[in-house]
């Protein structure tokens, strides 16, 4: 029996060395110390042990039990610690790991250009005003000195909603609306969408954006217009960029001018972008026609003013050196997200 006890003890101690998980440990414990375990079996068979040897054997059984219990407990502690370490390792968060790419939206290049344009004029004391895109013929044409059957109506390829209502062909009707409702001094810009029945190509779209400017006060001159647009050109495109006025015609301004900007690409040297001229045509402008002032209820003997209208897309193309209007409308994120 002594021999058997030693065997049991050694067997369990060997098993403890082998076991790698706390779950297996429990099995070892049950098979040695459990109700049907080896050690319990020995206690059961104590009856067959001669009476004088029983205390000694009993003592030995207890010793072995104690030895095994503490060995199991020690091993359990070891295994638990190892298992915990493993778990912590697998759950560990590496705070130095780069985060996954998170895409933030970016402004459309045309909006960036428009915001800059607005910022420049607001900085000069202008107020931003908006008007309807579906407009009365009256504001889009009549009050701007473009009567019915005037040839200028053809040039603008108008979308008519009915005889009296059009999709506005320019932002100038907002001038007319403001002049008929406010008293000078007036200093406004009017950005917005405009419509023309144009075929879409590299520089044309049936829907595009303009920004109108209007100043009316006493003693406003063409010099004020020139100075204002020069300052705008400088702030928008940088030092060394100015404007050149060429005589032109608009029914609502007199005199009228086509205004060019120094080509920002070659700074006036002449390049492909400006077709060798050093200048790029960007806007229409002029002194508000006295007849328009009068129709809108402003006394042309007391007041004078200037107006200008520029394409927003055109400004964006120039500012970012974008070769084709199409890029602005295709919504290709690879293109759009380059501009911030
Ligand atoms: N409305 C004109 C156009 O669309 C531009 C312009 C505005 C010209 C104001 C002169 C004064 O072409």
């Amino acid at each position: 029996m002594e021999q058997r006890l030693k065997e049991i003890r050694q067997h369990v101690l060997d098993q403890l060395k082998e076991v790698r998980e706390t779950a297996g440990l429990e099995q070892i414990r049950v098979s040695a110390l459990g109700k049907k375990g080896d050690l319990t079996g020995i206690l059961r068979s104590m009856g067959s042990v001669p009476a004088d040897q029983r205390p000694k054997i009993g003592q030995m059984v207890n010793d072995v039990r104690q030895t095994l219990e503490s060995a199991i407990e020690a091993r359990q502690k070891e295994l638990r610690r190892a298992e915990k370490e493993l778990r912590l390792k697998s759950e560990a968060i590496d705070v130095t790991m780069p985060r996954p790419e998170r895409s933030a939206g970016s402004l459309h290049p045309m909006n960036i250009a428009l915001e800059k344009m607005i910022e420049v004029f607001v900085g000069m004391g202008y107020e931003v005003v908006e008007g309807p895109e579906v407009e009365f013929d009256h504001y889009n044409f009549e009050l701007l000195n473009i009567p019915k059957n005037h040839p200028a109506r053809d040039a603008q390829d108008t979308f008519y909603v009915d005889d009296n209502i059009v999709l506005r062909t320019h932002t100038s009707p907002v001038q007319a609306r403001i002049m008929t409702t406010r008293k000078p001094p007036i200093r406004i810009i009017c950005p917005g969408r405009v419509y023309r029945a144009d075929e879409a190509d590299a520089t044309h779209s049936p829907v595009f954006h303009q920004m109108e400017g209007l100043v009316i006060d006493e003693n406003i001159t063409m010099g004020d217009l020139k100075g204002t647009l020069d300052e705008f050109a400088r702030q928008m495109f940088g030092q060394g960029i100015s404007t050149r006025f060429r005589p032109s015609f608009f029914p609502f301004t007199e005199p009228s001018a086509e205004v060019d900007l120094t080509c920002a690409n070659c700074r006036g040297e002449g390049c492909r972008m400006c077709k060798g001229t050093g200048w790029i045509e960007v806007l229409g402008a002029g002194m508000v026609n006295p007849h328009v002032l009068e129709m809108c209820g402003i006394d042309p003997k007391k007041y004078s003013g200037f107006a200008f209208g520029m394409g927003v897309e055109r400004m964006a193309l120039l500012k970012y050196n974008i070769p084709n209007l199409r890029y602005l409308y295709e919504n290709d994120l690879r293109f759009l997200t380059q501009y911030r």
Side-chain angles (χ1 to χ4, degrees):
M1 197 153 282
E2 251 187 271
Q3 185 58 31
R4 176 82 186 114
L5 272 174
K6 275 188 188 151
E7 274 170 25
I8 293 174
R9 201 181 86 151
Q10 198 51 51
H11 178 61
V12 173
L13 291 179
D14 288 348
Q15 276 184 311
L16 287 182
K17 270 187 213 141
E18 305 268 300
V19 73
R20 291 276 169 270
E21 293 165 0
T22 47
L25 200 62
E26 181 59 12
Q27 271 172 25
I28 296 172
R29 198 187 63 77
V30 170
S31 74
L33 310 176
K35 263 190 206 157
K36 290 178 184 163
D38 296 340
L39 218 52
T40 321
I42 289 194
L43 280 177
R44 285 230 178 83
S45 59
M46 283 291 268
S48 63
V49 175
D52 62 332
Q53 286 193 33
R54 273 183 214 160
K56 188 180 156 219
I57 298 291
Q59 181 62 46
M60 278 177 67
V61 172
N62 276 340
D63 285 352
V64 170
R65 170 180 287 275
Q66 254 169 32
T67 307
L68 294 184
E69 270 173 357
S70 52
I72 290 173
E73 202 177 314
R75 186 73 180 130
Q76 187 170 48
K77 269 192 191 144
E78 266 173 39
L79 290 180
R80 280 209 179 132
R81 195 181 315 119
E83 280 172 10
K84 186 172 172 187
E85 240 164 58
L86 215 73
R87 200 178 64 238
L88 288 181
K89 228 183 227 165
S90 75
E91 288 173 359
I93 294 169
D94 180 358
V95 293
T96 66
M97 211 157 87
R99 63 163 172 74
E101 188 77 31
R102 215 190 299 149
S103 64
S106 58
L107 285 178
H108 192 285
M110 198 193 70
N111 284 65
I112 304 176
L114 178 58
E115 277 187 10
K116 179 68 187 166
M117 291 157 72
I118 291 175
E119 186 186 303
V120 172
F121 283 104
V122 166
M124 293 194 258
Y126 286 67
E127 180 194 346
V128 179
V129 177
E130 289 180 303
E133 292 171 27
V134 180
E135 183 58 285
F136 290 110
D137 184 290
H138 183 64
Y139 291 110
N140 195 80
F141 292 124
E142 298 281 338
L143 283 182
L144 295 173
N145 203 25
I146 313 174
K148 291 222 158 53
N149 304 319
H150 191 286
R153 291 199 178 204
D154 291 343
Q156 301 221 335
D157 298 317
T158 312
F159 286 112
Y160 279 87
V161 175
D162 64 28
D163 278 353
N164 294 313
I165 297 177
V166 300
L167 299 186
R168 68 178 179 190
T169 56
H170 49 181
T171 42
S172 302
V174 188
Q175 297 186 29
R177 283 176 172 270
I178 295 298
M179 286 190 280
T180 50
T181 51
R182 292 193 192 176
K183 298 226 159 327
I186 293 170
R187 202 185 290 145
I188 54 162
I189 47 170
C190 328
R193 210 172 271 141
V194 301
Y195 302 81
R196 286 183 201 178
D198 272 334
E199 207 69 59
D201 64 23
T203 53
H204 292 85
S205 157
V207 184
F208 60 105
H209 297 73
Q210 281 190 337
M211 192 178 82
E212 191 83 5
L214 173 72
V215 171
I216 297 183
D217 204 346
E218 291 176 33
N219 305 315
I220 296 294
T221 68
M222 197 109 179
D224 296 316
L225 172 60
K226 170 84 169 132
T228 299
L229 292 179
D230 277 344
E231 181 56 23
F232 166 73
R234 237 188 329 272
Q235 287 199 41
M236 191 75 190
F237 295 99
Q239 286 300 331
I241 307 294
S242 61
T243 63
R244 176 176 78 170
F245 282 41
R246 284 179 291 110
S248 184
F249 173 79
F250 298 102
F252 36 93
T253 48
E254 183 58 37
S256 303
E258 297 282 358
V259 180
D260 302 337
L261 284 187
T262 316
C263 175
N265 192 45
C266 62
R267 308 243 139 203
E269 300 274 313
C271 66
R272 263 180 60 199
M273 252 182 82
C274 57
K275 297 185 184 102
T277 63
W279 296 98
I280 292 196
E281 185 191 324
V282 288
L283 55 94
M287 301 307 291
V288 180
N289 191 320
H291 186 220
V292 170
L293 290 177
E294 210 166 333
M295 281 191 287
C296 291
I298 292 173
D299 180 1
K301 287 192 199 75
K302 185 162 184 215
Y303 295 105
S304 56
F306 65 72
F308 55 84
M310 52 179 92
V312 181
E313 280 85 349
R314 183 123 180 81
M315 288 295 160
L317 297 190
L318 288 175
K319 186 153 181 60
Y320 295 114
N321 226 327
I322 299 167
N324 195 316
L325 189 58
R326 194 163 47 98
Y327 289 114
L328 294 183
Y329 299 132
E330 275 180 342
N331 284 335
D332 185 335
L333 286 180
R334 290 169 304 179
F335 166 75
L336 292 179
T337 52
Q338 296 174 72
Y339 305 94
R340 287 178 195 272

